[in-house]
Amino acid sequence: MSTVTPARAPHPDLPTGHSPERGRVGAGLFDPAQLLRSLPDAFRKLDPRVQVKSPVMFVVWVGSVLTTAFSCVHPGDWFGWTISVWLWLTVVFANLAEAVAEGRGKAQADTLRRAKSDTVARRLAADGTEEQVAGTALAIGDRVVCEAGDIIPGDGDVVEGVASVDESAITGESAPVIRESGGDRSAVTGGTKVLSDRIVVRITTRPGETFIDRMIGLVEGAARQRTPNEIALNILLASLTIVFLLACATLPPFAHYAGTQLTLVVLVALLVCLIPTTIGALLSAIGIAGMDRLVQRNVLAMSGRAVEAAGDVSTLLLDKTGTITLGNRQAAAFVPVRGTTEAELADAAQLSSLADETPEGRSVVVLAKERYGLRERHQGELAGAEWVAFTAQTRMSGVDVDGRSIRKGAAGSVAAWVTGRGGTVAEDADTIVAGISEAGGTPLLVAVEDGRGARVLGVVHLKDVVKDGMRERFSELRRMGIRTVMITGDNPLTAKAIAEEAGVDDFLAEATPEDKMALIKREQAGGKLVAMTGDGTNDAPALAQADVGVAMNTGTSAAKEAGNMVDLDSNPTKLIEIVEIGKQLLITRGALTTFSIANDVAKYFAIIPALFAAVYPGLDKLNVMQLSSPSSAILSAVVFNALIIVALVPLALKGVRYRPMSADRMLRRNLGLYGIGGLIAPFIGIKLIDLVLSLIPGIG
């Protein structure tokens, strides 16, 4: 058995980030080493069983075989041999584009394979005793024990204990993560390493079907299936190929009638130049590169259909907490009641928060320090102080010091504390609390009991802070025609306030799993594609129903199984990037299809006049490029047809740059740039090649 131990996690105080090994995977579109590794694959793809999967390139392959056979029969025909060589190069260049795209995925897969290991598992028997078995012998439902230093033998859920786990082998992040039972962070992945403590894992997948196994197959391209749009485009290209095949088949009788002769080599060259070879050669590479761009962003797409669907998404469902907002409520303002100054309120709020270790409590201390210049004090500095820690039962924190009792907490709890000591709550305190609640914030009362009795000093305004730049991102999505819906468990008042601040189009408050499902079905019933994120078991039904369901890697196994994408970084805002990548994939495919068809139109003017101008002098008016001879015209077109594939490989792999704009404007842009560009490029390219060929004796 071979066991590969993942790299040891760094000290927690060190900065985290993607491992350099993963960072190198996507580096460089034309890395010479990558080209050399891909070249053998390009020649292996000359197998007709591979070529037949692409109708356009299969026709080119058959044409290459026929011209080679013709040249063998006529060994002295240099023109036939030259055309044959360039036709074979056309097929090889097309294969190379796909091989380079696949090769980048295979580099990702090699990294993942190093994370995979054959381990010995400590399986728990029914009586609680342990037995050692091979990891490959585990079945669904088996429970295994993993302690510090152990490799987790398979995918599963933690059912007992809590542990720190090194997942750098699959996520590229060096910082360890916490996995524990009974929550939405219970899923563990086979091949990752336990760094501390002890957990019991219930296996949820069969050997060979683990998350890493699926990742390897997907990033290699072995498990990539053609998407519906890709299949439809292939059918269109095949139909065009058949049309041009029939058209070329009718030319020999016309040529014979006109008193000229068209050889097999000329007919094949004409056919190859007229059919849409450019997009036919690059179509597969575009799809593979789209999935590769997701992998580079640590998103695993379970199918090409999901990537394509992301590009057509019209409704985006986003969780509020952690996606639109920072997730932790932060102190935003101190609002004193009449007769109290802001400085006095800030001082009391800071003192009462020193024993509150919640994020909200710490934010009160920080706000008092930053806004009012109060030095951040510590519990040890206040001699004789009695601290009252925050608890879920009392919902208050505070301190008794220097003859004063200070409390801060939920409005109801603090009000009850004041009245219980014979004090009264100021009338304007209720007004302030109501105003903050209506604005979507959370009010915390601050009260003191001293020689003047118990009284309320004011209110701390807590609010869930919207992340920077979210309004601008949502504006971009709106320009793209995408409707954004915020989903939250908050009450409608709070949800409305956050939605207005963030700039989302709509919101769903007090949302339940049933509410999410109903919303998705309503949108889909209107013909819209829906995308959403989730991490819990309760999100699984909605993730399965959505057209694009992005599950967080930190989530449960049920959520990851239900979604068709998994975000290894567990960053819900990445859904917006996924939509952009999907749109870039569709734009790239459309742009190169437009370029390819426009290219073919331009090549008509190179070949047809050159072939028949001698017989029909009127056609010479169409010879706008004034090519030197029929042989040079045909050869120049064939050479250009092969070289343009190589020139467009970087664009196919990198993708056309995406800009948020309406569909009409995007169509005009693509027609203007790639349509007109596709018409002009052959005129320039073929003429330059013809000028070079004209210098060679016997051609010009």
Side-chain angles (χ1 to χ4, degrees), residues 416-439:
W417 180 83
V418 171
T419 55
R421 281 159 175 72
T424 58
V425 179
E427 291 182 5
D428 57 337
D430 293 333
T431 304
I432 295 169
V433 167
I436 291 174
S437 298
E438 290 175 3

Side-chain angles (χ1 to χ4, degrees), residues 457-498:
L457 297 177
V459 185
V460 179
H461 181 182
L462 293 181
K463 62 182 296 187
D464 201 352
V465 180
V466 174
K467 292 181 177 178
D468 290 338
M470 294 306 295
R471 177 174 285 275
E472 289 75 16
R473 296 294 295 274
F474 291 140
S475 295
E476 288 183 8
L477 292 171
R478 199 171 295 112
R479 288 198 297 272
M480 293 156 47
I482 296 176
R483 176 171 169 263
T484 53
V485 181
M486 182 186 78
I487 299 177
T488 177
D490 290 341
N491 62 71
L493 284 176
T494 301
K496 183 175 183 294
I498 295 293

Side-chain angles (χ1 to χ4, degrees), residues 31 82 93 98 134 267 294 303 338 372 488 511 516 644 671:
D31 178 13
T82 307
F93 290 158
E98 185 175 13
L267 285 173
L294 280 177
S303 69
R338 283 189 297 271
Y372 298 99
T488 177
K516 296 177 187 178
I644 196 65
L671 288 176

Side-chain angles (χ1 to χ4, degrees), residues 152 156-165 167 171 175-189 192 199-201 319 321-323 326-328 467 534-539 551-560 567-572:
I152 298 174
D157 290 321
V158 178
V159 294
E160 182 183 319
V162 58
S164 176
V165 179
E167 294 187 343
T171 66
V177 296
I178 300 298
R179 293 289 177 261
E180 57 188 337
S181 62
D184 288 344
R185 296 180 179 271
S186 60
V188 291
T189 305
T192 57
I199 53 175
V200 177
V201 177
D319 280 332
T321 305
T323 304
L326 294 175
N328 293 324
K467 292 181 177 178
D535 59 0
T537 301
N538 64 335
D539 292 324
M552 301 296 101
N553 189 47
T554 55
T556 61
S557 297
K560 289 195 281 189
D567 177 18
L568 302 180
D569 293 332
S570 299
N571 176 12

Side-chain angles (χ1 to χ4, degrees), residues 518-579:
L519 175 59
I520 292 172
K521 289 180 178 179
R522 283 199 305 272
E523 294 290 324
Q524 291 173 332
K528 299 176 180 178
L529 295 187
V530 181
M532 75 161 288
T533 61
D535 59 0
T537 301
N538 64 335
D539 292 324
L543 286 171
Q545 180 67 34
D547 300 284
V548 179
V550 184
M552 301 296 101
N553 189 47
T554 55
T556 61
S557 297
K560 289 195 281 189
E561 289 294 330
N564 48 26
M565 290 188 187
V566 176
D567 177 18
L568 302 180
D569 293 332
S570 299
N571 176 12
T573 58
K574 203 177 288 183
L575 181 57
I576 298 174
E577 292 182 48
I578 291 171
V579 170

Side-chain angles (χ1 to χ4, degrees), residues 256-418:
H256 181 72
Y257 177 79
T260 187
Q261 188 73 24
L262 295 179
T263 65
L264 176 66
V265 172
V266 171
L267 285 173
V268 170
L270 176 63
L271 175 62
V272 169
C273 288
L274 296 186
I275 63 177
T277 51
T278 306
I279 185 61
L282 299 174
L283 187 58
S284 182
I286 293 169
I288 295 171
M291 294 186 70
D292 180 63
R293 281 193 289 275
L294 280 177
V295 172
Q296 290 180 31
R297 288 165 175 79
N298 266 7
V299 177
L300 177 65
M302 299 304 179
S303 69
R305 182 191 296 265
V307 185
E308 194 171 86
D312 285 328
V313 159
S314 50
T315 302
L316 210 55
L317 306 186
L318 298 162
D319 280 332
K320 174 184 76 71
T321 305
T323 304
I324 296 174
T325 64
L326 294 175
N328 293 324
R329 294 173 300 175
Q330 304 286 311
F334 297 116
V335 186
V337 298
R338 283 189 297 271
T340 305
T341 64
E342 284 190 36
E344 183 182 0
L345 172 60
D347 180 69
Q350 187 186 64
L351 281 172
S352 60
S353 298
L354 295 179
D356 184 358
E357 295 298 332
T358 64
E360 292 87 351
R362 303 312 303 161
S363 72
V364 172
V365 175
V366 172
L367 180 65
K369 174 185 176 182
E370 292 179 349
R371 186 166 298 181
Y372 298 99
L374 295 176
R375 183 177 62 85
E376 185 175 345
R377 291 163 287 190
H378 302 281
Q379 296 183 25
E381 298 180 22
L382 301 176
E386 294 185 11
W387 300 98
V388 179
F390 176 86
T391 66
Q393 290 74 31
T394 64
R395 301 178 67 193
M396 290 190 304
S397 64
V399 61
D400 296 335
V401 62
D402 298 332
R404 291 187 302 164
S405 295
I406 305 172
R407 297 293 184 271
K408 178 218 69 187
S413 299
V414 175
W417 180 83
V418 171

